[in-house]
Amino acid sequence: MRSFSPGVKGAVSTMMIAFPIQEWRAVRMKEGFTASPSIPLPHLSPIRKEIGTFKTSQVNMSVNNSKQAHLFARKRERVKLPPSDDTYRLSEFLRHPYGIQSVLNTNSFQSFQSLDANTYRCIMPKLQLLNFETVPVLELRVTPTSEDCIVEMLSCQFRYLEPADRKDDDILASLKNHITWNTSDIEQFVEIDLMLSLTLEVDTIPFVLLPISTVEVPGNLLMQTLVDRAVPVFQRQLIQNYNKWARQQHQNIA
């Protein structure tokens, strides 16, 4: 199995698609990406969905001896909506193209295109991983209703630019951002419930010889830290974008 080793933060950063990309700048080290100089992590390879030919690693250890690390993080947070002279129309906003761009945070992407009524292909800026040049490509589904809005990641792929003969990697991961609100009671709010999971292959010594918790404990801690930081940022931007849209709608009516 040919794969790259971006480290936990390199893989997680690619999936934080609903939030400002500058929040997830990885620390580039000599041998890849790591959480920080104080949290050393092993080289980790995202699990590819398709089954292909298995090859031995550079240390002559069979990939059959590798382990899978399962990482998970969740953050649920509610924020009060500021007082407004008008009734909040979040359901209408999240059905509007500007609202969809807001929940996808399309400013973080190099480009994006609509595949159907609620599915989008989003191309992120180019990344340099070790000696490889790659472009992360995400397929996202946005499902707005009168009561909530759900953003789900359908697929995540690293497309390699250099070397040209390197096969693309499909990442075994999931991301769900569930947005709910209450604008009818005295205490109006928006609530964000973000869930992120990632499966990584651990295939380097000494980590392959150690308990999988050696990877999962710091990996989960890192992912939870990123999610904890992301949700408040997303909430603030969502409300700011809504207010901008509402003012524009009011001006159009006037």
Side-chain angles (χ1 to χ4, degrees):
M1 179 184 294
R2 296 196 305 173
S3 56
F4 60 87
S5 301
V8 174
K9 192 164 186 179
V12 172
S13 301
T14 305
M15 295 189 301
M16 304 306 290
I17 46 83
F19 315 102
I21 196 169
Q22 59 267 25
E23 292 291 324
W24 318 119
R25 289 176 179 168
V27 179
R28 282 197 63 182
M29 306 299 288
K30 181 177 179 182
E31 295 181 342
F33 287 78
T34 185
S36 71
S38 60
I39 308 178
L41 294 171
H43 285 182
L44 303 171
S45 303
I47 301 298
R48 289 165 59 172
K49 294 180 181 178
E50 61 268 6
I51 300 176
T53 302
F54 290 91
K55 296 184 178 181
T56 56
S57 66
Q58 293 179 351
V59 294
N60 294 323
M61 174 173 290
S62 171
V63 75
N64 290 328
N65 292 329
S66 65
K67 301 178 180 180
Q68 290 186 8
H70 302 284
L71 310 182
F72 178 80
R74 182 176 185 177
K75 174 70 171 178
R76 187 174 183 177
E77 185 169 301
R78 178 179 296 185
V79 61
K80 291 183 180 180
L81 289 169
S84 175
D85 296 333
D86 299 322
T87 302
Y88 279 97
R89 297 180 293 162
L90 287 170
S91 176
E92 182 181 349
F93 168 65
L94 294 173
R95 285 186 169 91
H96 190 275
Y98 184 72
I100 292 174
Q101 292 179 29
S102 177
V103 297
L104 291 178
N105 190 32
T106 54
N107 290 333
S108 297
F109 301 132
Q110 179 178 314
S111 64
F112 80 103
Q113 65 180 112
S114 175
L115 300 180
D116 57 36
N118 62 350
T119 306
Y120 303 86
R121 176 174 292 127
C122 306
I123 300 177
M124 297 186 69
K126 181 172 58 178
L127 293 177
Q128 186 74 33
L129 302 175
L130 298 177
N131 297 324
F132 308 119
E133 201 171 66
T134 182
V135 173
V137 179
L138 313 176
E139 287 193 5
L140 309 172
R141 180 170 59 207
V142 181
T143 309
T145 72
S146 60
E147 299 178 348
D148 65 0
C149 180
I150 298 176
V151 180
E152 296 175 285
M153 184 173 65
L154 303 181
S155 68
C156 176
Q157 184 181 70
F158 284 96
R159 294 182 178 176
Y160 291 95
L161 304 177
E162 295 291 340
D165 61 343
R166 186 174 178 85
K167 190 174 182 179
D168 295 339
D169 279 312
D170 290 316
I171 311 306
L172 186 59
S174 67
L175 183 145
K176 181 179 180 180
N177 186 18
H178 189 196
I179 308 167
T180 55
W181 57 84
N182 185 345
T183 59
S184 59
D185 297 335
I186 296 177
E187 185 176 335
Q188 301 179 333
F189 64 84
V190 170
E191 184 172 280
I192 306 298
D193 187 3
L194 175 66
M195 291 177 285
L196 175 65
S197 65
L198 175 65
T199 299
L200 299 171
E201 182 182 357
V202 183
D203 57 5
T204 56
I205 291 178
F207 296 98
V208 74
L209 304 177
L210 299 175
I212 197 62
S213 60
T214 307
V215 175
E216 290 181 337
V217 171
N220 284 325
L221 176 62
L222 171 61
M223 282 188 31
Q224 190 62 55
T225 300
L226 293 176
V227 169
D228 288 345
R229 291 179 56 190
V231 169
V233 173
F234 175 71
Q235 286 176 322
R236 289 195 300 269
Q237 289 197 345
L238 182 66
I239 294 173
Q240 290 173 0
N241 290 336
Y242 170 81
N243 290 333
K244 181 178 179 180
W245 172 84
R247 287 193 299 268
Q248 185 63 47
Q249 295 297 305
H250 184 74
Q251 291 174 2
N252 292 340
I253 294 175

